[in-house]
Amino acid sequence: MSEKVRFSSVVGPELAGAIDLPDGEIRGWGIFVHGFTLGKGSPAASRVSKQLAREGIGMLRFDNLGIGDSDGDWGDGSFTVKVQDTIRAAAMMAERGTPADLLVGHSWGGAAVLAAAAEATGVRAVATIGAPVDPSHVERQYDAIVDRVLSEGSHEWFVGGRTLVLKRAFVEDVRRAHLRDRIGELDLPLLVLHSPTDNTVDIDNAGEIFREARHPRSFVSLEGADHLLTVRGQAQRAAHIISAWADQYIHGSRPAGETSQVV
């Protein structure tokens, strides 16, 4: 069972989300941040979140600016906006009485949760799936038009069956983003999940994230998984791993008087 929610992006338009409510005993709450041009209904976001909910961890997944059911123009977003909207999502979860213990990010969303975690209300643990160590890794997806974007200010980009408008400010923001310092300063438990056969984000990225991070840190190889977690059972497997790893950080770990409930 899921509950629809909406909250404002840092740039104004409303973002659409769904909270997959936990089955049985509530173990905790979390937020799933999707990949670059994906959305809350992508296989990784929906399947991982629903499986975590089945295991007692309620999960918010939301569409970024101009994606899916969210308002606004995708081109007005950026890595910085994605990070700040993740922090907004955590604030919204805390306001409704279900503070997020856990941040999970897939692909570019994994980079975003690493950058957002220190400022995200209530977060106690972070997990990444197929994340790049450098946010500018996404530039290879639009490298065919990047020169025109920089010279003309914007240009249409056809991706994933739809047309988006890539803007100069977006490209420049991504190029300015530096994640390694954020990883090194992250004072939270970190789980890095990555497939050795990921053809979109090479597994070397996982090794670099792991080396930059402090303890407690863990790495699990998702043997047989593709980048988008579309292979049968792989998203659920990732969720099982996250659920087991996160248990010590979320289950019964909140101070006396701090509650986690559905409102």
Side-chain angles (χ1 to χ4, degrees), residues 12 20 72 112 116 194 200 212 232 242 252:
D20 296 302
H194 214 113
T200 302
E212 293 285 346
R232 183 183 177 89
I242 294 168

Side-chain angles (χ1 to χ4, degrees), residues 82-113:
K82 190 176 182 74
V83 170
Q84 292 299 315
D85 282 344
T86 300
I87 294 168
R88 281 260 176 132
M92 183 273 290
M93 289 291 282
E95 288 167 4
R96 71 187 296 276
T98 55
D101 305 282
L102 175 67
L103 285 184
V104 182
H106 171 237
S107 192
W108 212 47
V113 300

